[in-house]
Amino acid sequence: MLGVKKNNLNNFLEKISSGYQLFVPAEVEGTTRFTAYQAGVQLALERNTVVPPKELFFPQTEHMYCYKAHKQEAAVEEIAAACEPRVLFGARPCDVQSLAVLDDVFLTKGYEDLFYKNKRENTLVIALGCRKPEPTCFCSSLGVDPSGTELADVMAWDAGEALVFEAKSDKGKKFLEENSAQLEDLAGVTQPTAECTMVLQVEGLTAKLQKMFEHSLWNEICKKCLNCGTCTYLCPTCHCFDIQGKTRGESGVKFRCWDSCMYQEYTLMAGGHNPRPSKKERVRQRFLHKLQYIPERYGKWGCVGCGRCVVKCPVNVDITRIIKQIGEVSLDA
Ligand code: SF4
Ligand code: SF4
């Protein structure tokens, strides 16, 4: 099996970064996230990043276009520039699955988001299988195999002393061929397997939620939520955004920035009406979106079981506990 010894990994990454814009999981300013590779970067390969790779495809703030206006004349300059060839190295199977969710949202149902599409099409994804999922991981309950994914271009496994690679797409095969001089034949190395320790029952969950819009469980679940939005910002599949503009003199720029269904202003209308006026509606929206609306529309879960919201919610609103609570509801009562 082809691979690279860990003590040679930086040379391998250095070589890739000479031909591509390379993003790697790393320690950055007190957290872990995907960042552009450079010499001396502190790789974070032991566990999944705190910040998911979605910001590489759907940045937190993104210019959409500039404009100039003078009296009755206006000119618009498109900014959705072509993206340089990129490599995303080390995305975990749950985060690769989250890209499949974002693909559905941004590229299907008769609509293509060019900002997302440019980045997605020009990025080769090298997934890294998990060796030991965290206690808060539950991706396997949602159809994701933590040890590997077929949705990446290249699959990498941590086999102790070395990372081993396998192409999963034509693009991935070409990439490994191009970089074969950097790879060694690591005879005798086997692909490690991994399993989540947390197992959730999700069969029939969407159908059950279809009957629970008015259920009193939402009153209970929403009580401690602060509507801080942390869960949505760190979620690899959350994709809501707002569009705003800045004007200076006769020039201006329109940009989009992440928004969150947990914020009161998110659904506030110009006339003052708010269809989600309380925490109950906002918290319900978040869980129905992940577990009912996205499965209904795209045939896959809107949660990939990464556990980030479970770990980072300041008041322990825990989606795994909520899935269990939904499972315990008796609709006949
Ligand atoms: S992180 Fe927790 S407190 Fe903050 S909005 Fe999400 S569920 Fe509510
Ligand atoms: S809802 Fe929570 S566990 Fe599910 S994908 Fe989003 S951050 Fe991860």
Side-chain angles (χ1 to χ4, degrees), residues 67 244-248 251-255:
Y67 55 85
Q244 297 191 11
K246 289 261 182 247
T247 306
R248 189 168 288 170
S251 302
V253 62
K254 283 277 184 200
F255 61 94

Side-chain angles (χ1 to χ4, degrees), residues 221-222 224-232 260 262-263 279 283 286-287 309 312-318 322:
I221 289 173
C222 78
K224 60 183 179 179
C225 174
L226 308 171
N227 280 158
C228 68
T230 301
C231 50
T232 53
S260 170
M262 305 309 282
Y263 297 155
K279 283 200 295 189
V283 169
R286 177 176 161 229
F287 293 108
C309 60
K312 291 296 178 185
C313 173
V315 290
N316 297 323
V317 174
D318 178 342
I322 289 163

Side-chain angles (χ1 to χ4, degrees), residues 271-302:
H273 174 62
N274 193 336
R276 294 188 205 135
S278 75
K279 283 200 295 189
K280 175 188 143 184
E281 290 86 12
R282 296 193 282 277
V283 169
R284 177 177 65 190
Q285 167 62 23
R286 177 176 161 229
F287 293 108
L288 290 186
H289 197 202
K290 301 277 174 218
L291 305 171
Q292 180 189 335
Y293 306 149
I294 289 180
E296 284 171 347
R297 187 166 167 81
Y298 300 114
K300 50 173 73 86
W301 296 107

